[in-house]
Amino acid sequence: MFKKYNLVGVLIFINLTTFCQTVAEVNAAFPDKEIVYLNFNQELALKIQDGIVVAQSNYARDLMILSKTNAAVYSRSKVYHSSFNELTNLTAYTKVPDGDKYKKVKIGEQVTSGSQRSGVFYDDSKETSFDFLGTVPNAVQCLQYSTFNKDAHLLSPFYLPSSVPIMAATYSVVVPNDITIKYVIKNDPTNQFIFTEEKKKKETVYTWTVSKYKGIDGYGNAPDNSYYDPHIIVYVTSYTSNGKTEPFLADVNDLFKWNTSFTKDINIAPDAAMQKIVDSLIAGKTTETQKAKSIYNWVQHNIKYIAFEAGLQGFKPRQAADVCNKRYGDCKDMSSIITTMLRLAKIKAYYTWIGTRDLPYRYSETPLPIVDNHMISTANINGEWVFFDGTDPHAEYGVPPAFIQTKEALVALSQTEYKILTVPTIDAQKNGVLDSTFLTINAEGVQGNQSVNYYGYMGEDNYNALLYRNEAETKDFVKTKMGKASNKFILGKYKITNTKPEENIMNISAAFTIPGYSKKIGNEYYINLNLEKLFENQSVDINKRKVAIEQDYNYTINQYHILQIPEGYTVSYLPPNFNFDNELLCLKLQYEVKNGTVIAYQQVTNKTLLIQPDKFVKWNDAAKAVAAQYKEQVVLEKK
């Protein structure tokens, strides 16, 4: 049992946060804002306790409510904690305007419950929730709490909140002389953090302050806030205990040593039952690729992914034999069973730690557990590195899941040797859509038949989306995927063909009608053959948006709309061909008259996963260039 810090220090810290700003001052600093933090403070105190580096964090935050219409919306509050980061103290109250003074109003009942969060190794997170009572315009919600971190490997960065402005923020780190640290400042190009360092007799206090922080507006299609929110990462590099200096997280070697402490005792003894399964899977297979593919597909189809970890189990893979017997596991368990089964087939396979694309960090910059939140298996097959992620039931052999593209992978070649590999970005030509749509004009509008092939990540998306849908839900999905031209689109009979599930190739065919589409004036038909304007309304407001645009993967959409020319008509106007190509994307619109049809071809190729704000102008160039082309119509004239 860890001892808790004396909370006297916590109370001293909290007393220093008493707010002094008036409503007028806050409104002047941040006009038209509904909420503003008057203070947003954290003190991190490191300590060696029983030979282990631990930490106490003390938080003090005062939030002023300025909204006259939505004051009650902000009354609910939550504090998150876990078995590693225990909540040790919580004080909260509302300061409600009372004439020219404030009166304190206690919070409602505190309720602690589980808080399931995705993207982390363990889900034993908890949340303590409560209501700030008396939340009215100009009231101030005062919150102070402390957490005790049992393992300083797992320190959390200090974040400024995304969209909430702050009058004053302070982050202080108290480091005793027997502990050494490093720190990294992220997403602070204008140097908003002001740094001071105060050396005392037995400790050093590092402090960062920020004044009048405006916050960053959130946007859709954006990467995780860690890519753009200002934050400070502090980590322990070494400590001295009983006269001996011990490394902690000085570099990747230390991180690797910590990671492999969770794998060193698993899958040591051979398991006859697993060997029998492996032998059956590789029987008749002559190449390592064939054997590895058979094993990987078996795991995908027979071991269900379930995240159920808690405490240290959030970091330690389970025995492969147990995973095999129970037929379920989390990402670490998938790594365990895939690695073990490949090794039983005499294939060189290794436990691998990796971060998803939610995390912007690299091992070279921050050799910390925050770099990786996922675990996979890596094998060297025929001299090439192949990544295996058993959490995705439709991930194609040899193609890493989209959410780990570009990421560094820490591969454990042994208990003492590792290799850092970079997961490749899959080329746009390998992911996409081939749409062939045949159209005829009738008195009511147009009718047609589509045949759409999906492949690569786009096919995988479809397979995953349809995995648990019933008939009605499947029809809704198909209508969404196949809908064209307008909200008058009527889906007819359709068919889904799992062409090559192992390669994520799928075909959806459908009949449809679109009443009122096409216009007849006198002896002429006017019809826009861009039934799907794939790059319409894509312009970015560069004066407002300061956050990158994230794409799940690169892709190519090839689309053919083939119109049967009505009998007795000829083409009197065909729109000009259009080509646009830059480093971000390629757009094509081409028209051709052939064998009694008009063929309109559209291609969109996305070339990048992350469009940074300095590339928005080039992105907008494409949107502007294609906008006029999308308005072009084919004109058919009666002979």
Side-chain angles (χ1 to χ4, degrees):
M1 174 66 77
F2 290 90
K3 299 176 183 177
K4 303 297 187 291
Y5 282 5
N6 189 319
L7 292 180
V8 172
V10 179
L11 297 177
I12 292 174
F13 175 76
I14 291 172
N15 285 339
L16 295 176
T17 68
T18 302
F19 63 89
C20 59
Q21 295 91 350
T22 67
V23 174
E25 289 172 332
V26 176
N27 277 320
F30 303 108
D32 303 321
K33 292 296 183 180
E34 293 192 343
I35 54 175
V36 173
Y37 277 111
L38 305 182
N39 298 295
F40 190 87
N41 301 333
Q42 179 183 344
E43 178 188 67
L44 173 68
L46 297 168
K47 182 180 179 179
I48 298 175
Q49 185 170 286
D50 299 331
I52 299 173
V53 183
V54 297
Q56 173 108 350
S57 289
N58 309 314
Y59 302 86
R61 296 168 183 177
D62 300 325
L63 182 69
M64 179 173 279
I65 309 299
L66 299 168
S67 170
K68 295 181 180 180
T69 56
N70 296 314
V73 173
Y74 304 108
S75 63
R76 192 71 172 167
S77 188
K78 297 179 181 179
V79 172
Y80 295 96
H81 47 104
S82 69
S83 60
F84 284 114
N85 212 32
E86 294 181 348
L87 182 64
T88 59
N89 177 61
L90 190 153
T91 302
Y93 53 89
T94 308
K95 284 197 170 184
V96 180
D98 184 18
D100 57 353
K101 298 180 180 180
Y102 281 91
K103 65 178 181 180
K104 285 188 179 181
V105 177
K106 294 182 179 180
I107 60 172
E109 181 184 3
Q110 296 182 32
V111 177
T112 298
S113 59
S115 176
Q116 302 292 325
R117 293 186 291 174
S118 61
V120 292
F121 267 175
Y122 59 92
D123 61 358
D124 69 334
S125 297
K126 299 177 182 179
E127 60 182 46
T128 296
S129 57
F130 49 89
D131 289 313
F132 281 102
L133 303 181
T135 298
V136 296
N138 302 333
V140 179
Q141 298 173 349
C142 302
L143 171 64
Q144 300 98 34
Y145 66 97
S146 301
T147 59
F148 180 73
N149 192 306
K150 297 178 180 180
D151 189 342
H153 287 93
L154 304 173
L155 297 178
S156 297
F158 172 77
Y159 273 89
L160 295 178
S162 293
S163 57
V164 183
I166 302 171
M167 291 294 287
T170 300
Y171 180 47
S172 295
V173 182
V174 182
V175 184
N177 294 339
D178 50 7
I179 295 176
T180 59
I181 68 164
K182 286 184 179 180
Y183 59 85
V184 177
I185 312 298
K186 299 289 289 184
N187 306 326
D188 186 26
T190 59
N191 298 316
Q192 295 180 92
F193 286 114
I194 306 301
F195 174 71
T196 60
E197 180 179 344
E198 181 184 3
K199 290 188 176 292
K200 300 182 179 181
K201 186 176 181 179
K202 294 183 178 181
E203 64 191 22
T204 301
V205 180
Y206 303 85
T207 303
W208 292 266
T209 59
V210 174
S211 297
K212 295 184 179 179
Y213 169 70
K214 295 181 179 180
I216 300 173
D217 291 334
Y219 291 91
N221 300 324
D224 186 81
N225 66 323
S226 55
Y227 279 81
Y228 54 85
D229 276 351
H231 60 282
I232 302 169
I233 302 169
V234 171
Y235 59 100
V236 176
T237 57
S238 65
Y239 66 98
T240 302
S241 180
N242 298 321
K244 183 181 179 181
T245 299
E246 300 284 354
F248 198 75
L249 283 174
D251 52 30
V252 182
N253 294 318
D254 291 338
L255 176 62
F256 178 71
K257 183 178 179 181
W258 188 72
N259 281 345
T260 53
S261 69
F262 301 111
T263 60
K264 62 184 178 66
D265 296 325
I266 64 168
N267 303 324
I268 296 174
D271 183 82
M274 284 192 65
Q275 184 68 67
K276 185 176 180 180
I277 293 173
V278 170
D279 289 344
S280 68
L281 292 172
I282 65 176
K285 309 293 191 301
T286 58
T287 68
E288 284 194 341
T289 296
Q290 292 172 336
K291 294 175 183 179
K293 184 180 293 188
S294 179
I295 290 170
Y296 183 44
N297 290 340
W298 184 88
V299 171
Q300 287 178 298
H301 297 150
N302 291 275
I303 308 298
K304 186 175 182 180
Y305 171 68
I306 300 176
F308 57 93
E309 311 90 332
L312 282 175
Q313 295 305 312
F315 296 89
K316 185 176 181 179
R318 293 166 182 81
Q319 296 284 351
D322 292 340
V323 178
C324 186
N325 290 334
K326 294 176 180 178
R327 291 293 199 266
Y328 64 80
D330 58 21
C331 66
K332 304 177 305 301
D333 303 334
M334 295 293 192
S335 173
S336 174
I337 190 171
I338 292 173
T339 301
T340 300
M341 292 182 79
L342 290 174
R343 287 176 177 177
L344 290 175
K346 310 302 181 185
I347 294 172
K348 296 177 181 178
Y350 313 98
Y351 305 120
T352 302
W353 294 266
I354 193 168
T356 65
R357 285 168 53 203
D358 287 339
L359 304 175
Y361 313 115
R362 302 179 72 83
Y363 291 109
S364 56
E365 181 187 34
T366 50
L368 308 172
I370 64 171
V371 176
D372 47 56
N373 60 350
H374 192 43
M375 200 168 175
I376 60 174
S377 180
T378 303
N380 193 297
I381 298 175
N382 299 323
E384 295 185 356
W385 293 103
V386 181
F387 302 98
F388 298 88
D389 188 334
T391 66
D392 189 336
H394 291 112
E396 183 183 351
Y397 172 87
V399 180
F403 58 80
I404 61 172
Q405 292 178 105
T406 75
K407 298 298 296 183
E408 288 183 338
L410 184 62
V411 183
L413 302 179
S414 68
Q415 279 294 124
T416 58
E417 184 182 6
Y418 64 85
K419 188 178 186 67
I420 296 177
L421 302 174
T422 300
V423 178
T425 301
I426 303 303
D427 187 83
Q429 301 302 321
K430 295 183 179 181
N431 311 301
V433 172
L434 176 58
D435 177 351
S436 300
T437 297
F438 298 86
L439 302 164
T440 58
I441 297 175
N442 58 31
E444 288 75 33
V446 298
Q447 63 184 34
N449 290 280
Q450 308 174 63
S451 177
V452 185
N453 287 318
Y454 300 88
Y455 55 92
Y457 288 138
M458 284 197 168
E460 182 181 344
D461 284 348
N462 281 358
Y463 276 104
N464 286 331
L466 292 169
L467 197 56
Y468 300 112
R469 291 177 187 262
N470 59 32
E471 185 176 349
E473 292 168 337
T474 297
K475 184 175 181 179
D476 289 341
F477 175 81
V478 171
K479 186 174 181 179
T480 299
K481 298 293 288 187
M482 308 299 274
K484 292 176 181 287
S486 78
N487 57 10
K488 295 181 180 180
F489 177 92
I490 300 173
L491 178 68
K493 291 184 178 180
Y494 67 87
K495 181 181 180 182
I496 300 173
T497 304
N498 296 336
T499 311
K500 291 185 178 180
E502 70 281 2
E503 296 180 20
N504 286 317
I505 300 175
M506 175 185 287
N507 177 272
I508 303 178
S509 59
F512 65 91
T513 57
I514 311 174
Y517 196 77
S518 79
K519 183 182 295 184
K520 189 173 189 297
I521 302 176
N523 292 328
E524 294 180 321
Y525 275 112
Y526 293 79
I527 183 168
N528 189 326
L529 287 183
N530 297 302
L531 274 69
E532 288 189 87
K533 300 173 178 62
L534 299 173
F535 203 73
E536 187 177 41
N537 300 323
Q538 293 294 316
S539 290
V540 179
D541 188 338
I542 60 177
N543 294 319
K544 291 184 178 181
R545 181 162 184 150
K546 306 301 179 184
V547 176
I549 298 170
E550 184 180 44
Q551 307 279 13
D552 290 336
Y553 42 77
N554 293 333
Y555 60 83
T556 297
I557 299 175
N558 289 297
Q559 191 174 71
Y560 294 86
H561 286 123
I562 304 166
L563 173 67
Q564 182 70 43
I565 300 173
E567 186 175 351
Y569 282 78
T570 186
V571 177
S572 62
Y573 177 75
L574 203 62
N577 290 339
F578 167 80
N579 275 290
F580 182 94
D581 196 357
N582 65 17
E583 63 189 274
L584 304 177
L585 70 163
C586 176
L587 304 175
K588 292 181 181 179
L589 295 173
Q590 298 175 353
Y591 298 86
E592 179 184 10
V593 177
K594 185 176 181 180
N595 298 330
T597 66
V598 179
I599 303 172
Y601 169 65
Q602 180 177 193
Q603 182 190 83
V604 175
T605 301
N606 179 70
K607 301 180 183 180
T608 185
L609 300 180
L610 203 61
I611 305 157
Q612 296 290 359
D614 62 356
K615 302 294 185 182
F616 286 169
V617 171
K618 291 187 175 181
W619 183 264
N620 286 350
D621 287 343
K624 292 175 183 177
V626 77
Q629 304 299 319
Y630 277 147
K631 297 177 182 179
E632 290 277 1
Q633 299 190 68
V634 172
V635 182
L636 306 175
E637 184 178 11
K638 195 170 185 178
K639 296 178 182 178

